[in-house]
Amino acid sequence: MNYDTIKEEIKDIDITLPPPQEEPERQYYFIKKLQHWMELKKEEKGRELTCCVNTFGCQMNARDSEKIIGILMTIGYKVVEDEDADLVIFNTCTVRENANLKVYGRLGQLKKIKNKNPEMITMLCGCMMQEESVVEKIKKSYRNVDIIFGTHNIFKFAELLSMKVLDRAESKKMIIDVWKDTTEIVEELPVERKYHFKSGVNIMFGCNNFCSYCIVPYVRGRERSREPEDIIAEIECLVKDGVVEVMLLGQNVNSYGKNLENPISFTELLRRVEKIEGLKRIRFMTSHPKDLSDELIEVMAKSKKICKQMHLPLQSGSSRLLKIMNRHYDKEQYLTLVDKLRAAIPDIGISTDIIVGFPNETEEQFQDTLSLYEECEYDLAYTFIYSPREGTPAAKMQDNVPFEQKQDRLERLNEVVKEKALKQNQRFLNQIVDVLVDGPSKRDETMMTGYTAHQKLINFKGRKEDIGKIVPVKVTEVKTWALKGEQVD
């Protein structure tokens, strides 16, 4: 169902009747009630009401924020970037401690803004809200927050907002609605995409891997795959709406479909998505090495639409640490996968994640990571200093690597990351690459920016009328993190 169809269904709802129990019809009912409330508020204030949605974390969170913004725009809010708005939402991440600290800092700033505008509504959602200790801290120290909800019931957003603004009994309270887990997947709610020509598409939710350092399975829940028919129908609607590139999203896309009543492999899903006419590019993330199959590598190699790029998290080059991390592969198995990828797809771009300073990490084990990085010739790595996450097995281990040592290792690793990134970019110098044009560069509006099939950022001399199109660009200059070029006919 597309956006316009959803809007028509909402128009036909009678809000004088009790709300329906089925989803998403129940949420349409509350959207309609809020639309009526919005018209009265606009008349009262003599202006549009504004909202600001700030997203922390991964692509899954970014996609969730698009759904929240879609609902807000359907209600009648005007989206702004300034947090001095009528409604402010933080969609939070809790993968690392710094993410939590950022949110607390921003909440302190928001408190000052709300003191000047008592009618402001503030909401928190996302992974951070799935932690009981976090919610307790917010209840005690941040009474300026109006609504808290988690990762499993984002679809209830309109209902929760309706409780706050339309229910007098609830309007003065902090509304907290956080689910521990769910098997429910609610489709067909409004979504406002950041780009009209590319989109993320959730194919599954949650994670079953329970890596010892990772909080994700506890805040996102167990794996839940969407039905392939629903995924295909969504992508077909997106393509009709002008989308040429999709990113299939999941915490571990390689295990997609295993928990469905009629199981289907991720490889088979890719085959079906590739058949959609009008779709030009297919991306996906994230791939867990333990589930990366030879069949998937073969399909990628033969495909005309699947981008020749893969994010394959390593985390450590030490087999001993990988075992303690509960990663289910060792150094040799990982290297075998990289060899298979490069043999089947010689020009593939590979990116990764690496943690330094995991409990008990020795200098020798860190050197194993550096050595493996050199061998794998990655295009890019997201590097992190280990920070314990409450509730994970690793948090019970003694965090006995001094911070100064962690910082030193991170700096040494990042030097190698820079060196390899530049080397991998140099292979595109003077080559003509296909680029999906995102729009003008933020730093120089006379230049256009976009991404190649290998997920290389490129700034180039081009035409604004080609935004959303895939165009040929000649690479004229290479830098560590980006390319420069000129559009060619």
Side-chain angles (χ1 to χ4, degrees), residues 4 141 150 168 193 224 263 308 344 380-381 423 456 476 486 489:
D4 292 334
S141 304
R168 290 186 179 180
R193 302 193 309 276
R224 309 181 311 282
K308 304 302 187 283
L380 181 66
K423 179 181 177 181
K456 299 290 184 182
T476 57
E486 296 178 355
D489 293 330

Side-chain angles (χ1 to χ4, degrees), residues 399-434:
D399 188 10
N400 55 359
V401 182
F403 181 79
E404 295 76 14
Q405 207 168 69
K406 293 179 182 180
Q407 189 68 45
D408 175 66
R409 289 174 184 173
L410 182 70
E411 290 172 3
R412 283 188 281 158
L413 173 60
N414 283 341
E415 285 303 312
V416 178
V417 171
K418 289 179 186 177
E419 176 191 329
K420 294 301 178 185
L422 180 60
K423 179 181 177 181
Q424 291 291 13
N425 281 350
Q426 284 171 339
R427 73 186 197 267
F428 294 102
L429 186 61
N430 297 322
Q431 300 295 312
I432 294 176
V433 294
D434 289 333

Side-chain angles (χ1 to χ4, degrees), residues 47-52 77-80 84-88:
R47 61 173 177 83
E48 290 184 294
L49 268 66
T50 58
C51 68
C52 175
Y77 277 96
K78 178 184 178 182
V79 180
V80 297
D84 188 5
D86 296 292
L87 186 151
V88 177

Side-chain angles (χ1 to χ4, degrees), residues 130-159:
Q130 294 293 143
E131 297 185 81
E132 289 184 18
S133 59
V134 168
V135 175
E136 287 302 314
K137 180 172 181 174
I138 292 167
K139 284 165 64 177
K140 291 177 182 177
S141 304
Y142 300 95
R143 295 299 304 172
N144 55 310
V145 174
D146 295 297
I147 302 173
I148 294 172
F149 58 106
T151 59
H152 302 305
N153 59 337
I154 279 182
F155 69 88
K156 281 188 66 179
F157 171 71
E159 185 173 348

Side-chain angles (χ1 to χ4, degrees), residues 52-69 83 87-94 99-100 102-103 106-107 110 122-130 147 149-152 154 157 219-220:
C52 175
V53 179
N54 278 321
T55 308
F56 302 80
C58 67
Q59 285 88 347
M60 299 285 282
N61 271 19
R63 183 60 175 166
D64 286 342
S65 289
E66 288 184 340
K67 296 173 185 177
I68 290 169
I69 292 171
E83 288 178 3
L87 186 151
V88 177
I89 300 174
F90 289 166
N91 187 359
T92 63
C93 170
T94 191
N100 288 29
K102 280 182 184 179
V103 171
R106 296 280 281 276
L107 282 176
L110 206 60
T122 55
M123 306 177 73
L124 294 176
C125 65
C127 295
M128 198 172 157
M129 299 306 108
Q130 294 293 143
I147 302 173
F149 58 106
T151 59
H152 302 305
I154 279 182
F157 171 71
V219 297
R220 285 278 178 182

Side-chain angles (χ1 to χ4, degrees), residues 250-421:
Q251 303 300 150
N252 176 17
V253 292
N254 294 348
S255 65
Y256 166 80
K258 291 180 179 179
N259 63 334
L260 291 172
E261 187 174 341
N262 297 306
I264 172 178
S265 69
F266 179 53
T267 305
E268 177 56 30
L269 177 68
L270 283 173
R271 289 193 180 103
R272 296 188 191 184
V273 173
E274 189 171 27
K275 292 177 182 177
I276 297 174
E277 291 187 15
L279 183 65
K280 305 294 184 184
R281 282 184 179 178
I282 303 166
R283 299 188 188 274
F284 56 83
M285 72 179 310
T286 296
S287 289
H288 196 297
K290 75 178 180 65
D291 296 311
L292 177 56
S293 67
D294 292 346
E295 186 184 20
L296 175 56
I297 294 172
E298 182 183 355
V299 167
M300 285 185 68
K302 293 180 178 179
S303 174
K304 295 289 192 291
K305 294 184 179 181
I306 300 172
C307 292
K308 304 302 187 283
Q309 183 265 336
M310 178 176 285
H311 187 69
L312 195 66
L314 167 65
Q315 307 305 357
S316 173
S318 162
S319 293
R320 182 175 179 275
L321 285 186
L322 288 171
K323 186 173 183 179
I324 298 171
M325 288 177 171
N326 197 37
R327 291 293 290 173
H328 299 285
Y329 57 83
D330 60 23
K331 175 182 177 179
E332 288 70 28
Q333 289 168 327
Y334 186 93
L335 283 170
T336 298
L337 288 176
V338 172
D339 289 343
K340 285 181 177 181
L341 281 165
R342 295 209 184 279
I345 315 165
D347 66 334
I348 191 170
I350 304 176
S351 57
T352 195
D353 295 336
I354 294 178
I355 298 170
V356 300
F358 190 78
N360 298 304
E361 181 187 60
T362 65
E363 176 63 23
E364 183 181 359
Q365 289 167 338
F366 173 67
Q367 288 296 330
D368 286 341
T369 298
L370 288 182
S371 173
L372 192 144
Y373 199 97
E374 295 270 4
E375 190 169 350
C376 288
E377 296 273 332
Y378 293 107
D379 287 61
L380 181 66
Y382 300 93
T383 59
F384 309 95
I385 287 176
Y386 169 76
S387 62
R389 309 308 300 129
E390 184 180 343
T392 64
K396 298 175 184 177
M397 303 174 192
Q398 185 182 1
D399 188 10
N400 55 359
V401 182
F403 181 79
E404 295 76 14
Q405 207 168 69
K406 293 179 182 180
Q407 189 68 45
D408 175 66
R409 289 174 184 173
L410 182 70
E411 290 172 3
R412 283 188 281 158
L413 173 60
N414 283 341
E415 285 303 312
V416 178
V417 171
K418 289 179 186 177
E419 176 191 329
K420 294 301 178 185

Side-chain angles (χ1 to χ4, degrees), residues 145-208:
V145 174
D146 295 297
I147 302 173
I148 294 172
F149 58 106
T151 59
H152 302 305
N153 59 337
I154 279 182
F155 69 88
K156 281 188 66 179
F157 171 71
E159 185 173 348
L160 297 172
L161 180 58
S162 181
M163 289 169 62
K164 189 68 184 177
V165 300
L166 299 176
D167 188 335
R168 290 186 179 180
E170 299 289 343
S171 61
K172 302 296 182 183
K173 301 177 184 177
M174 180 186 290
I175 297 171
I176 301 173
D177 192 0
V178 178
W179 295 6
K180 292 293 183 185
D181 207 343
T182 185
T183 58
E184 191 167 11
I185 297 175
V186 177
E187 310 272 2
E188 298 175 355
L189 286 169
V191 176
E192 185 63 27
R193 302 193 309 276
K194 182 178 180 180
Y195 299 99
H196 70 272
F197 49 86
K198 62 181 180 180
S199 178
V201 176
N202 296 109
I203 65 170
M204 61 191 300
F205 304 90
C207 182
N208 288 353

Side-chain angles (χ1 to χ4, degrees), residues 281 347 425-436 451-454 456 458 460 470-478 483-489:
R281 282 184 179 178
D347 66 334
N425 281 350
Q426 284 171 339
R427 73 186 197 267
F428 294 102
L429 186 61
N430 297 322
Q431 300 295 312
I432 294 176
V433 294
D434 289 333
V435 178
L436 177 56
Y451 285 89
T452 71
H454 289 79
K456 299 290 184 182
I458 182 166
F460 61 97
I470 296 175
V471 301
V473 176
K474 183 175 182 179
V475 179
T476 57
E477 186 179 344
V478 168
L483 310 173
K484 290 189 73 174
E486 296 178 355
Q487 185 172 338
V488 297
D489 293 330

